[in-house]
Amino acid sequence: NNQKEQRYLLFQKKITYYDVYKLKNINRNISIAFLNPKFDIEDKQISTNKLSVLFPTEVDTHLRFKIDAPFNTSYTREQVSFNNNEFNIMILNESLKLYEHSILTLKKYGLLTIDLIYFLAITSRPNKDYIYSEFYKKTIQTFENCDLLLSNDGQYVKSSISLLSRDNKLFMEILNENDLKKLFSGRYKWIDGTGIKSSRNDELRKF
């Protein structure tokens, strides 16, 4: 077996809802699991994930992390619809809350590194489905509203004032904050990206 071991950072949330078929309240878990970048996963080993409802469905989330949630599925358990389905929209909204909470928790414990951010929904992909679009919007909202990027001076800052340094730490030492504000339209906090794999540079820089 030539595959590297993969380990995950798991976040869970318990929800309670009324089951109209069983006529009682039901407790279920929503789970999100991120690949732990500490184990240096190669890009070719990173795949997008099928949505899981206890078992994998045929719904591709196009996300680099796993989601398991108690969505209502089709009769064959292969598809999940959000058209005029208030229950599934509610479950998705609860999943988005867990996603935001997980990002804030990763920051709290010093785990929200640039490498881990690569596994979030950070790229605008208009042709992707509803699930990916909702997670992407939540990512943007969370990073715009919260100080989540660790700058070169040890402070957490918003994405709107940050700059990703990809090539040489010398630039971070030469250019001070006033220089950066003038050169980059108000962005003045360096984020050290010199250790990022080259294949991930463009996506992270655009984010």
Side-chain angles (χ1 to χ4, degrees):
N1 187 351
N2 294 323
Q3 286 190 332
K4 278 191 175 182
E5 180 181 18
Q6 295 184 350
R7 298 189 183 185
Y8 292 84
L9 301 170
L10 176 65
F11 295 86
Q12 287 188 322
K13 174 182 182 178
K14 181 177 287 187
I15 62 169
T16 302
Y17 59 89
Y18 186 75
D19 190 312
V20 295
Y21 300 104
K22 296 181 179 179
L23 301 178
K24 64 178 182 179
N25 286 333
I26 301 292
N27 295 318
R28 291 289 185 269
N29 284 330
I30 296 173
S31 303
I32 291 178
F34 301 99
L35 274 170
N36 190 339
K38 174 182 176 182
F39 293 91
D40 192 29
I41 303 299
E42 296 295 330
D43 286 3
K44 64 183 179 181
Q45 292 181 280
I46 301 169
S47 59
T48 56
N49 294 283
K50 301 288 188 182
L51 182 65
S52 177
V53 184
L54 293 181
F55 299 96
T57 67
E58 290 302 311
V59 179
D60 194 338
T61 66
H62 305 286
L63 297 165
R64 295 187 181 113
F65 53 88
K66 297 180 181 293
I67 306 171
D68 182 272
F71 291 101
N72 284 337
T73 66
S74 61
Y75 179 75
T76 60
R77 295 188 59 81
E78 294 179 346
Q79 299 299 322
V80 174
S81 174
F82 296 95
N83 292 327
N84 300 315
N85 192 320
E86 292 184 5
F87 179 81
N88 279 349
I89 291 173
M90 180 273 290
I91 296 296
L92 180 59
N93 287 335
E94 292 297 326
S95 302
L96 292 168
K97 291 177 185 177
L98 176 60
Y99 177 62
E100 180 179 38
H101 172 74
S102 68
I103 293 172
L104 298 175
T105 302
L106 288 166
K107 174 204 168 179
K108 178 180 178 181
Y109 291 101
L111 297 172
L112 192 62
T113 62
I114 293 295
D115 282 324
L116 195 143
I117 289 171
Y118 177 73
F119 293 104
L120 305 181
I122 61 172
T123 302
S124 175
R125 295 173 179 167
N127 60 326
K128 298 301 182 183
D129 64 11
Y130 180 67
I131 294 175
Y132 184 92
S133 298
E134 291 301 300
F135 275 93
Y136 172 71
K137 286 189 286 187
K138 179 59 72 174
T139 305
I140 297 303
Q141 180 188 72
T142 304
F143 276 81
E144 285 181 347
N145 293 338
C146 305
D147 297 333
L148 293 172
L149 294 173
L150 184 61
S151 65
N152 195 44
D153 59 7
Q155 298 179 33
Y156 281 96
V157 299
K158 292 182 175 63
S159 57
S160 59
I161 63 169
S162 65
L163 289 160
L164 182 65
S165 175
R166 299 182 297 165
D167 302 314
N168 196 322
K169 289 189 178 184
L170 182 62
F171 288 111
M172 291 187 282
E173 296 172 359
I174 292 176
L175 298 174
N176 61 36
E177 291 188 358
N178 288 329
D179 295 329
L180 294 175
K181 286 178 181 178
K182 294 175 183 176
L183 290 169
F184 298 102
S185 303
R187 293 179 179 268
Y188 60 94
K189 287 291 186 180
W190 280 121
I191 308 298
D192 187 356
T194 54
I196 295 173
K197 295 177 181 178
S198 58
S199 57
R200 302 178 182 181
N201 267 337
D202 287 343
E203 196 170 337
L204 285 164
R205 179 175 54 81
K206 289 175 184 176
F207 172 68

